Amino acid sequence: MEIVLSGIRSTGNLHLGNYLGAVQNFVKLQDDYKCYFFIADYHSLTTHPTPENLYKNVRQVLVEYLAAGIDPEKSTLYIQSDVPEVAELYLLLNMNAYLGELERTTSFKEKARKQPENVNAGLLTYPVLMAADIVIHHADKVPVGKDQEQNLEMARKFARRFNTMYKVEYFKEPQPFNFGKELIKIPGLDGTGKMGKSEGNGIFLADDENTIRKKIMRAVTDTGPTVPNSEMTEPVKNLFTILEIVSEKDTVNYFKEQYQNCTIRYGDLKKQLAEDVIKLIKPINERIKDIDKNNEYLAKVAKLGAEKARESASKTIKEVREIIGFKKFY
Ligand code: TYM
């Protein structure tokens, strides 16, 4: 059975981009694949080295994963730092990752620009840790959003390099996955760029109905088309991108036509978009509230996940040590 793996950083609540770009796909895959889903709390330290409440952040993502439909019996759902074997593999892979290639990755350059006061080595080697996450369970497929494409390319490169260096056919090369479609990028509501946890442009799975309505009604647009069939500006295109994913085809066509003949009222588009987003998020939101109360269940899930993940990870580490040539003297 093919293996699927993916992760989410514990730097904040899950937003619509996380859900549509990744988590929704995880949920659909868990019946047909051996799945590993985890909370990347080591990774979160690259941007938030002294988090106010690491435990609370991890817990929140765990709750939201479960609320979104991940079944801890079917899939292995775990917390990255519960599997220290990942850190060991990261260390070993770091020996075969080069400064030049790491410095050139887009996400490193972006983060270095965003946090010039904290360009730490963890940030630089972020793709190596991500590769360790993936190859430690020999994943074939990695359901992610478009923003992770380059990191995955690096993971393939590190897997390939390990095989070449040690003359083995050991690690597989993990492929990005979205049911045969292109990986997607959900835009934010501020008119430019992707929806993100720290950009202040997101709709969160934990948002209540009114918050969602308010956020969408405040989304950036423009003054409206004046010439029929004109090109959309980025903020408007972004709203249509979300509409196309969450709404019925007829709805999309209706507003597109209105845009093309210049009769569109963005307020109406936003109202419809808000209702369709609410329809999607509301059941998850309600489950978040329920699961959040259940400490015992969360403890059980985390323990089960850690056990299952460590079983697979420790086997890999043992084999990797042998391949590299570590041998016990006792
Ligand atoms: P993170 O936590 O930024 O995002 C989690 C997942 O959500 C997707 N995503 C989006 N998809 C579409 N549109 C958006 N606006 C959007 N924002 C986020 C991401 O592509 C991702 O799939 N490095 C990873 C976490 C990670 C990981 C891994 C993923 C660590 N190790 C191993 C896969 C395999 C990250 O920061 O995702």
Side-chain angles (χ1 to χ4, degrees), residues 9 17-18 126 130 133 144-145 147-148 184 186 195 197:
R9 275 170 307 145
N18 296 136
Y126 188 110
M130 194 161 147
D133 288 327
V144 284
D147 57 317
Q148 296 300 318
I184 63 168
I186 301 295
M195 189 174 287
K197 288 180 218 210

Side-chain angles (χ1 to χ4, degrees), residues 232 239-259 264 269 272 276:
M232 287 180 194
L239 289 186
F240 270 97
T241 301
I242 306 178
L243 194 76
E244 274 176 19
I245 294 179
V246 303
S247 303
E248 300 288 337
K249 221 174 171 41
D250 287 350
T251 309
V252 179
N253 289 341
Y254 171 77
F255 286 108
K256 268 199 178 150
E257 230 165 74
Q258 289 206 330
Y259 182 87
I264 192 160
L269 165 74
Q272 180 67 46
D276 291 338

Side-chain angles (χ1 to χ4, degrees), residues 5-12 14-23 26 36 38-40 43 65 80 111 126 129-134 142-149 151-152 183-188 193-197 201:
L5 173 141
S6 206
I8 294 195
R9 275 170 307 145
S10 56
T11 42
L14 301 193
H15 53 69
L16 193 64
N18 296 136
Y19 182 68
L20 297 173
V23 182
F26 305 175
Y36 292 89
F38 68 96
I39 300 160
H43 270 115
Y65 257 145
Q80 190 183 33
K111 283 180 182 154
Y126 188 110
L129 179 53
M130 194 161 147
D133 288 327
I134 299 170
V142 187
V144 284
K146 182 101 183 131
D147 57 317
Q148 296 300 318
E149 213 163 30
N151 281 336
L152 269 184
L183 301 186
I184 63 168
K185 176 180 116 178
I186 301 295
K194 66 168 181 172
M195 189 174 287
K197 288 180 218 210
N201 65 6

Side-chain angles (χ1 to χ4, degrees), residues 84-276:
E85 288 81 3
V86 169
E88 181 172 345
L89 186 57
Y90 164 60
L91 177 145
L92 297 170
L93 293 179
N94 262 326
M95 310 304 168
N96 315 337
Y98 302 111
L99 181 61
E101 62 189 347
L102 294 170
E103 274 177 337
R104 277 194 301 275
T105 60
T106 323
S107 57
F108 173 70
K109 285 194 280 195
E110 222 169 76
K111 283 180 182 154
R113 193 169 38 78
K114 268 197 205 157
Q115 51 180 68
E117 73 301 339
N118 179 25
V119 186
N120 61 71
L123 205 55
L124 181 73
T125 54
Y126 188 110
V128 187
L129 179 53
M130 194 161 147
D133 288 327
I134 299 170
V135 302
I136 203 152
H137 300 299
H138 303 284
D140 298 282
K141 291 188 161 72
V142 187
V144 284
K146 182 101 183 131
D147 57 317
Q148 296 300 318
E149 213 163 30
Q150 192 180 32
N151 281 336
L152 269 184
E153 198 183 306
M154 304 282 283
R156 285 196 293 281
K157 194 192 270 184
F158 297 138
R160 204 157 49 229
R161 191 175 291 157
F162 180 94
N163 291 346
T164 312
M165 288 180 75
Y166 300 107
K167 302 189 178 56
V168 285
E169 270 308 313
Y170 183 65
F171 285 130
K172 296 179 196 167
E173 291 185 28
Q175 303 301 325
F177 185 75
N178 181 22
F179 296 96
K181 288 193 240 144
E182 277 277 294
L183 301 186
I184 63 168
K185 176 180 116 178
I186 301 295
L189 299 175
D190 52 355
T192 57
K194 66 168 181 172
M195 189 174 287
K197 288 180 218 210
S198 48
E199 331 296 330
N201 65 6
I203 299 163
F204 295 95
L205 301 184
D207 283 343
D208 61 33
E209 283 184 44
N210 278 337
T211 309
I212 295 174
R213 276 194 199 101
K214 264 192 219 143
K215 283 182 175 177
I216 294 182
M217 294 314 288
R218 276 201 308 255
V220 175
T221 50
D222 56 24
T223 50
T226 47
V227 182
N229 302 318
S230 55
E231 178 84 12
M232 287 180 194
T233 57
E234 195 183 345
V236 175
K237 213 188 281 169
N238 287 351
L239 289 186
F240 270 97
T241 301
I242 306 178
L243 194 76
E244 274 176 19
I245 294 179
V246 303
S247 303
E248 300 288 337
K249 221 174 171 41
D250 287 350
T251 309
V252 179
N253 289 341
Y254 171 77
F255 286 108
K256 268 199 178 150
E257 230 165 74
Q258 289 206 330
Y259 182 87
Q260 278 155 1
N261 61 29
C262 306
T263 54
I264 192 160
R265 293 199 333 216
Y266 292 138
D268 295 342
L269 165 74
K270 288 175 172 179
K271 263 188 211 145
Q272 180 67 46
L273 182 60
E275 292 321 305
D276 291 338

